[in-house]
Amino acid sequence: MRLCTVLAFVPLAVTPYMAAARAPGEAPAGTLPTRISERGTTVLPSGRLLTPLGRSFRVAPHPFGLALSPNGKTLASASSGTGPFCVTLIDRFASPRLRQIPENAAGEKDVPSVFMGLAFSRDSRALFVAGGDNGAVHLIDVSSGKPLAAISCNDAANPESYTGDLALSPDGRTLYVADQAHFRVAVVDVSARKVVGSVRVGRYPFALALSPDGRRLWVANVGSYEYRPIEGGTLPYPAFGVPSREAVVGVTVDGKRVPGLGSPNAPEALSVWALDVTRPAAPKVVKRIKTGTLVGALSEGGFAAVGGAGPNALVATASRVYVSNGGNDTVQAIDARTGRVVATIPLGPVPGSRVKGAAPFGLALSPDGRRLYVAEAGINAVGVISTRANKVIGHIPVGWYPSRVRVSPDGKTLYVANAKGFGAGPNGGVSFRPGPEGAYIGSLMKGTVSIAPAPSDAALAGLTAKVLANNGFPGTPPPANLAALRKAIRYVVYITKENRTFDEVYGDVPGARGDPSLARYGAHADVAAAGQPSLTDVNVMPNHRAMALRYGIADNFHADGDVSADGHRWLVGIYPNEWTETQVAAAYGGKTRFSMNAPGRRAFFGSDASSTPEDYPEAGSLFDHLARNRIPFRNYGEGFEFAGVSEDAGAEPTGARESLNFPMTKPLWENTSRDFPIFNMNIPDQYRADQFLKDVDRWRNGAQMPRFVNIALPNDHSAGLDAASGYPYTASYMADNDLALGRIVEALSHTPYWPRMVIFITEDDAQGGVDHVDAHRTILIVAGPHVKPGYVSHRHGSLPSVVHTVNRLFGLPDLNQFDATASDLTDFLRESADAQPYTAIRPDPRVFDPSKAMARYGRNSVRRDDPAFLQEQQQQAIERR
């Protein structure tokens, strides 16, 4: 595990944003590149801006836990992503001191894993730390940082527990532990240091809160379903979509029984439960409360809600319990006596907006009870709610993806954990100097803890205006020629690939802001591998180069996710929620293991990249959006890579063998090809192209082409080398991907739909490479008759830009706040057309022989999206520089 030895103190002030005026169609960044400016304005990969109030302190990646000691003198954050998994203690606030526990890898034997949960002892001398994957709670001495004990929550009835949020009783004698693996709360006797009780609660308990008298424990459950194995084997495709009767009661497919999921609105799902803990060792469930908008109910947007409330944080007083509904952008107040919801408070800085994306994650109440602070992860802000008026009175700018917020005992200071800090920055190029964490994007994504004065009511207006400006609200204004473009362009094709940065592919393109020294897959690349001849001056991806010259590319375009698991969600218009963000970070650090032995672990998806009901937003994905607006679509290779899937050799045509009863949304299930593989590195992209071209032939011969087509071409991810199977070099995977892309564009250009078509081509993430601007910068090609020839866009764009542009071309409303405020891609487009067809370019046969790959494919069985493999790739790229 890498060390995180430097935890820097960075004093920050809100400074004016000096940039060109925002043009129609542009995100707040305009044409500025992504950059980290710790004393000024940071430009995020999304094109949004950061100007955090107060002072920021760098900590290890992904701090999803935050606690303040009862005496108010020590702050603890828990980092549970990529590595190191650790706790940071901050004290002496006038001149802050930071201490990381464990300090280095040698200390991992004492604190081997960390996940969210923190609780100080009542005397502030000790700290309880949830261990997550190891199923333990660790006790640490605050003064020395030394471990005092490890309390295991595993037993014969509850093996492989996964410990999360913690709550300590007012007398300090009992610790309550959320166990996500077994849908339960475990009860720990602090003096005996052992589990003395346990009670099953709802699905995936995510947050706990005790009443002030300690007699009632409140539990927020973010899960939708308990997933079960398919009986009798595996299936090449999910058995059902939701909503459907089959999804509720189950179905038999090919002689295999697929259990039903039951109702998404069952009491165990997406709910808040109350436990009577007057006898701590024998807790009893006394209330089950459904919060927010029910799945399938009419949403504010006027459609049936695809995703549920996602209650994810709690604050309890003697009379009220406040819960944040991450899926609905609301905070609700519950009467603590009756369990009735008595107030619903909408979040988001644009009053009346129906699109979601504030993504509340954490809550804290001021000591006087008058203010409720909400960590709004989606808009990089802390919302301020008046508990008397039950309304938002302002927003405070903080760091990227605030996850938790705490308030000092005197109410004058706010503490905020920002899971993504300031971002990654560059991870290659002449000026990049890797530190001990290396160049892997996940390791570079340091978190921060913000310490800021609690603003007065009068100051909130200015701070709210800053939040609005930073996020681009109320939305991106449309271009003047939008009506003409809608008439000219009727068909959209969206081709998505895997893991490449801009510099790797286009660093040597004239007129684009690239670093030629990093263009290892450019037009004049050197190609080498152990045991193979070294090649020089190779055009590794000739179709990518030809399309850049003939059509258009962007040199300021970014992946919003860090890795494939969150990147694929962003691709299809899903902004990852608290469930996804915490799971992805821990999984890529090797601390979230899938297992059939615990019901909760069956949904631990690791690097698997498809959305499940736990992370469905209220409005769903781009596919749901198209379906409810009656835009015909067809999907190839996206949407059914779930936890427990097998992607071994011989899994064609779908590339998958599903072992659990995960659903897809019904529109996607109905409109996805059963003959086209998902991510499976045993299958060449030439096979994918062959399968897709069968449908293109039908469209050429009279069948109606859908207005939207989504295609996944993943082999530029790369994997292990095998010359006999057609992949002697890493560049061979790039050439395979390049040829498949060229063949698809060529075929589409010979259909009658080509004169009214545009093609967007990008990557799900950029984790496999290096870039001198930012580790998130990736490629975007816009191809088709209406694209300005040889155009290089400098507009700051990201994956929601594609969704935004699709919506604009089809005349659809915004899907969520992220596409609403992203730059659109209409600067590439013109009303006139050059409908000359495209001709695919064959690869250098020394690098890739497609006939050999197709003859031998299936023999090179590799693990998908292995983070260690990707980190090794990046290190090799740096060494070649």
Side-chain angles (χ1 to χ4, degrees):
M1 174 145 327
R2 292 170 195 78
L3 310 185
C4 183
T5 56
V6 178
L7 298 169
F9 161 54
V10 185
L12 296 178
V14 176
T15 59
Y17 174 54
M18 305 301 294
R22 183 184 180 195
E26 287 185 343
T31 58
L32 286 178
T34 299
R35 68 185 185 192
I36 295 174
S37 180
E38 295 179 344
R39 296 179 184 272
T41 299
T42 290
V43 180
L44 295 178
S46 63
R48 296 184 177 193
L49 311 176
L50 287 184
T51 55
L53 183 68
R55 300 174 295 172
S56 292
F57 304 83
R58 285 188 182 272
V59 297
H62 301 290
F64 289 119
L66 190 69
L68 184 66
S69 61
N71 63 14
K73 295 182 178 181
T74 306
L75 187 68
S77 70
S79 292
S80 55
T82 309
F85 286 71
C86 62
V87 174
T88 299
L89 299 177
I90 306 175
D91 57 15
R92 303 174 185 173
F93 296 138
S95 180
R97 176 182 66 161
L98 279 70
R99 293 175 290 148
Q100 179 179 295
I101 304 169
E103 295 181 17
N104 52 49
E108 288 185 8
K109 65 181 185 298
D110 299 317
V111 187
S113 182
V114 173
F115 185 72
M116 289 179 54
L118 295 170
F120 280 93
S121 63
R122 293 307 171 202
D123 61 9
S124 301
R125 294 180 179 178
L127 178 69
F128 296 94
V129 181
D133 202 49
N134 69 348
V137 176
H138 301 276
L139 185 60
I140 296 171
D141 180 80
V142 170
S143 178
S144 67
K146 301 296 183 183
L148 300 174
I151 306 165
S152 177
C153 294
N154 296 319
D155 56 35
N158 300 283
E160 302 183 70
S161 293
Y162 196 89
T163 50
D165 205 23
L166 306 176
L168 186 67
S169 63
D171 61 13
R173 296 178 180 178
T174 306
L175 183 72
Y176 300 96
V177 184
D179 177 4
Q180 290 188 1
H182 293 285
F183 304 160
R184 65 171 181 145
V185 170
V187 183
V188 172
D189 183 308
V190 170
S191 60
R193 296 180 179 175
K194 68 177 183 179
V195 174
V196 295
S198 179
V199 61
R200 179 127 173 170
V201 291
R203 295 160 184 162
Y204 299 104
F206 197 82
L208 305 176
L210 273 164
S211 60
D213 62 7
R215 298 172 64 87
R216 187 67 54 92
L217 178 70
W218 299 87
V219 185
N221 307 295
V222 299
S224 299
Y225 297 113
E226 178 178 344
Y227 300 103
R228 302 181 187 277
I230 296 171
E231 299 169 12
T234 62
L235 291 173
Y237 190 77
F240 37 63
V242 289
S244 68
R245 182 178 183 277
E246 292 81 1
V248 174
V249 303
V251 66
T252 298
V253 179
D254 295 337
K256 303 174 181 68
R257 177 64 185 170
V258 184
L261 296 165
S263 170
N265 296 315
E268 295 81 9
L270 305 163
S271 56
V272 172
W273 286 25
L275 309 183
D276 181 343
V277 291
T278 52
R279 295 175 57 209
K284 296 180 181 179
V285 176
V286 293
K287 295 186 187 301
R288 299 172 177 85
I289 304 159
K290 300 295 291 186
T291 65
T293 303
L294 297 181
V295 175
L298 190 67
S299 71
E300 285 184 315
F303 52 81
V306 178
N312 59 22
L314 297 163
V315 168
T317 71
S319 59
R320 283 193 170 188
V321 178
Y322 294 97
V323 55
S324 61
N325 296 312
N328 299 148
D329 281 4
T330 62
V331 169
Q332 290 184 306
I334 299 170
D335 185 290
R337 183 179 62 84
T338 65
R340 185 173 62 90
V341 174
V342 293
T344 298
I345 306 163
L347 300 174
V350 183
S353 174
R354 295 182 175 184
V355 293
K356 310 301 182 186
F361 195 156
L363 296 174
L365 193 66
S366 63
D368 62 10
R370 295 184 178 183
R371 279 186 173 186
L372 182 67
Y373 295 98
V374 188
E376 297 170 310
I379 60 173
N380 311 316
V382 169
V384 186
I385 291 174
S386 165
T387 57
R388 290 183 173 180
N390 286 327
K391 70 176 185 179
V392 174
I393 59 173
H395 303 267
I396 304 165
V398 293
W400 189 5
Y401 207 88
S403 59
R404 297 297 186 205
V405 59
R406 296 290 180 260
V407 190
S408 62
D410 61 7
K412 296 181 178 180
T413 306
L414 298 180
Y415 308 97
V416 184
N418 305 293
K420 300 187 179 186
F422 295 105
N427 63 343
V430 175
S431 61
F432 176 69
R433 297 291 179 269
E437 68 273 12
Y440 182 59
I441 189 171
S443 301
L444 293 174
M445 291 288 291
K446 306 295 186 189
T448 61
V449 173
S450 300
I451 301 180
S456 66
D457 288 356
L460 280 175
L463 293 171
T464 300
K466 177 59 67 175
V467 170
L468 283 164
N470 286 350
N471 289 280
F473 294 122
T476 308
N481 65 337
L482 180 58
L485 291 175
R486 285 178 178 169
K487 291 180 180 178
I489 299 170
R490 183 169 177 80
Y491 300 93
V492 176
V493 178
Y494 188 18
I495 301 176
T496 59
K497 307 178 323 91
E498 291 276 340
N499 293 8
R500 296 299 128 212
T501 61
F502 179 86
D503 273 338
E504 286 183 290
V505 179
Y506 287 139
D508 59 349
V509 170
R513 185 173 49 216
D515 184 336
S517 72
L518 302 180
R520 56 176 171 160
Y521 305 126
H524 304 282
D526 296 333
V527 176
Q532 299 296 326
S534 295
L535 310 176
T536 59
D537 197 27
V538 176
N539 189 353
V540 176
M541 305 178 82
N543 288 288
H544 284 70
R545 181 55 53 108
M547 290 181 199
L549 299 177
R550 177 170 174 177
Y551 303 119
I553 62 170
D555 67 358
N556 199 8
F557 188 84
H558 308 78
D560 296 71
D562 302 334
V563 294
S564 291
D566 58 340
H568 276 266
R569 288 163 165 86
W570 283 109
L571 278 178
V572 299
I574 293 176
Y575 56 94
N577 64 4
E578 75 293 319
W579 166 255
T580 301
E581 289 286 359
T582 56
Q583 285 290 308
V584 169
Y588 276 74
K591 302 294 185 182
T592 300
R593 293 175 293 106
F594 169 85
S595 174
M596 287 288 197
N597 298 327
R601 284 187 181 267
R602 294 174 192 155
F604 287 3
F605 52 82
S607 62
D608 296 310
S610 294
S611 184
T612 63
E614 280 64 38
D615 64 335
Y616 290 171
E618 182 180 290
S621 71
L622 175 59
F623 302 118
D624 302 298
H625 194 50
L626 294 170
R628 65 174 162 260
N629 286 284
R630 299 182 180 180
I631 302 293
F633 74 89
R634 185 72 170 162
N635 170 54
Y636 299 85
E638 190 71 62
F640 55 100
E641 189 188 38
F642 297 125
V645 69
S646 171
E647 295 166 344
D648 296 328
E652 61 276 354
T654 66
R657 293 296 180 267
E658 307 287 353
S659 59
L660 290 152
N661 62 339
F662 286 101
M664 300 165 73
T665 62
K666 190 175 182 182
L668 186 58
W669 186 82
E670 291 176 337
N671 291 284
T672 294
S673 171
R674 271 69 160 175
D675 297 318
F676 190 100
I678 61 166
F679 184 101
N680 183 327
M681 294 304 295
N682 299 290
I683 299 176
D685 274 346
Q686 302 314 304
Y687 178 88
R688 293 180 173 87
D690 287 348
Q691 298 299 93
F692 177 70
L693 295 190
K694 293 176 183 178
D695 278 357
V696 175
D697 285 341
R698 286 190 280 270
W699 301 336
R700 281 178 180 159
N701 294 307
Q704 177 63 49
M705 177 179 173
R707 292 192 65 192
F708 180 84
V709 173
N710 183 76
I711 309 166
L713 289 180
N715 274 23
D716 63 331
H717 176 282
S718 81
L721 305 184
D722 184 350
S725 294
Y727 299 93
Y729 307 96
T730 301
S732 305
Y733 288 97
M734 310 303 139
D736 177 21
N737 179 261
D738 177 80
L739 178 59
L741 176 65
R743 292 175 61 205
I744 286 173
V745 174
E746 177 183 55
L748 289 169
S749 74
H750 286 277
T751 67
Y753 305 100
W754 177 245
R756 303 188 69 186
M757 186 186 301
V758 66
I759 305 173
F760 299 110
I761 304 159
T762 189
E763 309 276 325
D764 75 298
D765 68 75
Q767 67 171 317
V770 296
D771 192 274
H772 84 284
V773 174
D774 191 89
H776 293 88
R777 191 170 68 139
T778 190
I779 71 168
L780 172 72
I781 307 168
V782 182
H786 294 276
V787 178
K788 300 171 186 175
Y791 182 68
V792 178
S793 174
H794 306 301
R795 177 177 284 182
H796 195 120
S798 65
L799 294 179
S801 297
V802 179
V803 179
H804 189 176
T805 309
V806 169
N807 287 338
R808 285 194 161 165
L809 292 176
F810 289 161
L812 306 183
D814 298 319
L815 175 59
N816 55 57
Q817 290 179 8
F818 291 93
D819 65 85
T821 57
S823 294
D824 68 29
L825 306 176
T826 57
D827 61 316
F828 283 90
L829 303 176
R830 59 185 182 176
E831 299 161 43
S832 60
D834 177 1
Q836 289 296 311
Y838 178 81
T839 301
I841 304 171
R842 303 292 293 181
D844 187 320
R846 300 172 298 171
V847 176
F848 180 66
D849 182 344
S851 63
K852 181 181 290 187
M854 288 297 287
R856 296 286 297 259
Y857 88 84
R859 299 193 180 185
N860 181 24
S861 184
V862 296
R863 170 64 181 134
R864 58 197 179 277
D865 251 3
D866 180 0
F869 172 76
L870 294 167
Q871 292 175 41
E872 181 183 353
Q873 274 197 312
Q874 287 181 316
Q875 188 59 40
Q876 290 173 354
I878 293 170
E879 292 170 355
R880 291 190 192 100
R881 185 168 49 83

